[in-house]
Amino acid sequence: MATTPSGQRPRFNPSPCDVHPLHHDVPPLRDSDSNDSNPLHFKFQSLVSCPADVPLELFETAVSQLIHHPEYNSTLILRSETISDSDTTIPSAAPRLEGYCPVRNVHRKLLPRRPGRDSGLEQHCTLYALETGEFAGLPSMLVLTPLVPEGESLPYYHPTVSHLAFRFIPSNITTTSDSTSAQPALRIEVTPLPGTPTDLNSRLYRTALALLDTLHRYLWGTLTHYQKRVQHDVLIPREVYQDVYLKMRERHKGIVNTWKESTDPLKHVFEDIGIATYLMLFWKDMFATSSVKELDESPWKSWPRPSGFLDLGCGNGLLTHILSAEGYAGYGIDLRARTSWAHYPDSSQAALKVHALDPTQLLSPGNSNSNDEGKSFWGPGVFLIGNHADELTPWLPVLATLTGASGYLSIPCCAWMFDERFTRSSAASALDFSEDELLDAATPVGTLASEAEDEAIFIASLGLGAEGTHKSQYSAYRIWLARLSRWLGWKIECDTLRIPSTRNWAIVGRERLPGDQSIFVDRARRIVEDVVRRGAFKTRTPEGKGHDGTS
């Protein structure tokens, strides 16, 4: 039965199978040989069901999300890794079920988010199709079978079952009573381990209820061609990032217990560990020239890297500290020292500087506004970091262009232009060129394919999600930043970082666009000159101790 999407997902309406069962005339799954004395013999129990509001043809696509992304259903699971995927070889551990034939098996391994606490677990994910009837051969059921080594037990994140089935019951399935059921349904069935409670208050029932809701949502998303709001792991593969992040978290998680700021340590510590991990992997790829010999515990010690980094508006200095502690040379600058600074090791304290950056002085002869130490921040090939840098955010591509930086990473938060708050109306008039010029001015030097570049394609390249999700003021700001970066000669690359912040979108510059580079430098100079002419930009005065450049 085909279903036409009408907008919002139909209400999830579950029913406990022992109270108000759907398809009460469709019995639970049975072993294909119920008289078998084999120890693998089992019995399924139906737990919960709900109406299926989509056609069966979408089932396999929807459950592929369950197979390949178990982390969406449990915060204790990091990810899964596929060991094998076959539609010809079905393992003996997969159950043989009456009325069904196995059509595909994915052998996966679940990796825990806390490997020091939970163990990994291999699992068979077997797809089945009905043997007879209208839907014969079409996948309509997924059975998960954990593979527990002898003498070991299931990890906490896995329900205490030997099998768990996601079952799609079509509307015209013929039941044991030779009747035809009226409405298609989804059902969760399990083979509980001995002694496992299955009542409505049990952990197993609550888990089954959550999984059924997830499947119902995935099916509707498949029907309506749902697109993820944002795209993660564009520049750094998820698996690579997660593996390094786990090591980095173990090395630096103790900072949570010694946090000196009034802010939430759980958010800030793990967020900066995530950003540091991302930068280290990004630099490894960006500056790679040949293969390197990696160490076991800290492979990044030998990874390629920039000649230095400069963390603009470094705040609590944690990101600078983590990078310094892992052997990366650079500085973090801010208008005032934070309480945390004095509690970092000496090497990190030496990298943290009180300094008021004035971008409008970059064109001054000798840059006399800066002391000698300020000048040292801008060594050849320095990589610029703007992590929620607020007023300095739009200046990153400008500074990178004028100073010959190797690149930059910008994670925008508050929306600022060069000398005022960002608004849609002010965006086009902030500079001495129009918004249209921002869109196509680079055409003469080959930075755009054509003057009439499709706006939808451009926005899609920024990873802002499906159409209609980029209409907010913040999204408009990100689009403006991307156009600005491109106008200044940077190839646009964007990613959504895996950090505990709603402001996790990043734009990075690591590659210059082709053409006469002096044109891009001249554009950056025009920006600075225009800001100076308006006279609205004011550099704040450094605060507290260390205003002379010491920390």
Side-chain angles (χ1 to χ4, degrees):
M1 182 179 76
T3 306
T4 301
S6 58
Q8 292 186 340
R9 176 170 68 112
R11 181 172 176 240
F12 176 59
N13 189 23
S15 300
C17 289
D18 59 350
V19 179
H20 301 292
L22 292 171
H23 294 291
H24 57 84
D25 51 352
V26 178
L29 297 167
R30 296 180 58 189
D31 195 330
S32 58
D33 186 358
S34 58
N35 296 319
D36 192 356
S37 59
N38 189 298
L40 292 178
H41 174 63
F42 52 85
K43 181 179 180 181
F44 273 91
Q45 177 181 345
S46 302
L47 288 184
V48 60
S49 62
C50 73
D53 302 292
V54 302
L56 174 60
E57 287 81 0
L58 303 179
F59 181 81
E60 183 174 10
T61 300
V63 295
S64 67
Q65 283 281 82
L66 291 168
I67 295 173
H68 296 295
H69 293 285
E71 70 276 10
Y72 293 167
N73 300 305
S74 173
T75 58
L76 301 179
I77 296 175
L78 180 68
R79 66 174 187 269
S80 72
E81 292 184 346
T82 300
I83 298 174
S84 65
D85 186 345
S86 175
D87 55 5
T88 57
T89 303
I90 306 300
S92 59
R96 268 50 182 177
L97 301 170
E98 188 175 272
Y100 286 90
C101 60
V103 294
R104 180 185 170 200
N105 187 82
V106 177
H107 183 185
R108 71 179 182 181
K109 183 174 183 178
L110 302 177
L111 302 180
R113 190 168 294 277
R114 300 291 179 86
R117 183 181 64 184
D118 298 316
S119 60
L121 177 70
E122 292 188 22
Q123 195 180 57
H124 285 307
C125 309
T126 312
L127 280 163
Y128 293 80
L130 288 165
E131 292 180 332
T132 60
E134 177 185 350
F135 298 102
L138 191 63
S140 60
M141 184 170 60
L142 170 68
V143 177
L144 307 181
T145 304
L147 304 177
V148 184
E150 186 175 355
E152 298 185 15
S153 57
L154 285 166
Y156 178 78
Y157 56 78
H158 195 284
T160 51
V161 298
S162 55
H163 303 287
L164 188 149
F166 300 83
R167 189 178 181 187
F168 190 114
I169 302 175
S171 58
N172 63 346
I173 185 173
T174 301
T175 68
T176 52
S177 60
D178 293 328
S179 63
T180 299
S181 54
Q183 182 181 19
L186 304 174
R187 183 190 288 179
I188 301 290
E189 302 186 21
V190 298
T191 303
L193 295 180
T196 300
T198 59
D199 60 89
L200 300 187
N201 296 318
S202 66
R203 178 173 175 241
L204 178 55
Y205 180 84
R206 295 195 306 271
T207 299
L209 184 63
L211 291 173
L212 185 65
D213 187 15
T214 298
L215 177 58
H216 185 263
R217 186 173 69 253
Y218 285 176
L219 282 164
W220 183 254
T222 302
L223 178 68
T224 56
H225 305 289
Y226 168 77
Q227 292 181 341
K228 291 181 64 176
R229 185 176 62 86
V230 296
Q231 296 296 322
H232 292 83
D233 317 307
V234 175
L235 304 180
I236 305 296
R238 179 186 64 153
E239 295 78 6
V240 174
Y241 171 83
Q242 289 178 332
D243 290 345
V244 176
Y245 174 78
L246 287 178
K247 293 182 179 181
M248 289 285 289
R249 187 182 66 185
E250 288 301 308
R251 291 170 66 85
H252 298 283
K253 65 181 182 181
I255 300 174
V256 170
N257 300 322
T258 59
W259 191 241
K260 303 301 180 183
E261 306 291 338
S262 59
T263 51
D264 180 9
L266 291 177
K267 176 185 184 297
H268 287 273
V269 172
F270 294 119
E271 180 173 312
D272 282 1
I273 292 173
I275 296 172
T277 301
Y278 188 91
L279 279 167
M280 290 157 53
L281 288 163
F282 183 76
W283 289 336
K284 178 188 178 185
D285 180 62
M286 177 179 177
F287 296 100
T289 55
S290 60
S291 59
V292 295
K293 183 178 181 180
E294 298 186 351
L295 306 175
D296 291 336
E297 293 298 321
S298 306
W300 49 85
K301 296 293 185 181
S302 59
W303 286 355
R305 62 199 60 206
S307 59
F309 67 84
L310 181 59
D311 186 0
L312 305 178
C314 64
N316 57 48
L318 180 56
L319 179 58
T320 297
H321 159 63
I322 294 173
L323 291 172
S324 298
E326 298 302 344
Y328 291 79
Y331 294 101
I333 61 174
D334 210 302
L335 288 168
R336 65 181 177 88
R338 304 301 200 275
T339 303
S340 299
W341 289 19
H343 296 273
Y344 294 135
D346 291 344
S347 58
S348 294
Q349 292 188 44
L352 294 166
K353 305 294 182 181
V354 174
H355 179 74
L357 175 62
D358 185 353
T360 65
Q361 295 297 316
L362 285 174
L363 302 184
S364 301
N367 197 4
S368 58
N369 175 264
S370 301
N371 55 32
D372 290 340
E373 185 174 49
K375 295 178 183 179
S376 70
F377 300 150
W378 305 99
V382 164
F383 189 95
L384 305 184
I385 303 170
N387 175 22
H388 298 178
D390 294 343
E391 295 99 326
L392 292 177
T393 296
W395 286 101
L396 257 75
V398 179
L399 294 170
T401 301
L402 289 176
T403 63
S406 57
Y408 65 91
L409 168 76
S410 179
I411 309 172
C413 183
C414 300
W416 281 88
M417 301 181 72
F418 301 110
D419 51 13
E420 63 179 325
R421 287 278 189 174
F422 172 88
T423 64
R424 295 173 190 263
S425 60
S426 65
S429 60
L431 307 173
D432 62 350
F433 47 81
S434 67
E435 182 71 5
D436 289 338
E437 189 177 2
L438 268 178
L439 281 169
D440 62 23
T443 303
V445 290
T447 62
L448 293 180
S450 70
E451 185 173 336
E453 181 186 28
D454 186 354
E455 180 74 356
I457 295 176
F458 172 72
I459 292 176
S461 72
L462 307 183
L464 295 179
E467 183 179 358
T469 63
H470 52 267
K471 304 302 183 182
S472 69
Q473 179 86 342
Y474 180 62
S475 292
Y477 180 56
R478 291 182 286 171
I479 293 170
W480 182 83
L481 289 174
R483 288 172 175 162
L484 171 66
S485 295
R486 181 178 62 183
W487 195 77
L488 291 171
W490 293 96
K491 177 183 176 181
I492 297 174
E493 294 184 278
C494 304
D495 212 341
T496 306
L497 307 186
R498 293 183 176 275
I499 56 176
S501 173
T502 56
R503 295 294 193 252
N504 59 350
W505 183 86
I507 181 170
V508 296
R510 60 173 165 177
E511 184 178 341
R512 300 293 293 174
L513 292 170
D516 185 349
Q517 296 301 304
S518 65
I519 294 177
F520 300 126
V521 174
D522 180 65
R523 289 174 179 173
R525 293 177 64 89
R526 287 171 55 190
I527 290 173
V528 178
E529 290 168 353
D530 199 61
V531 172
V532 171
R533 178 180 55 81
R534 288 197 299 270
F537 183 86
K538 301 296 181 184
T539 302
R540 286 187 280 172
T541 304
E543 306 171 17
K545 297 181 180 180
H547 64 275
D548 57 351
T550 63
S551 59

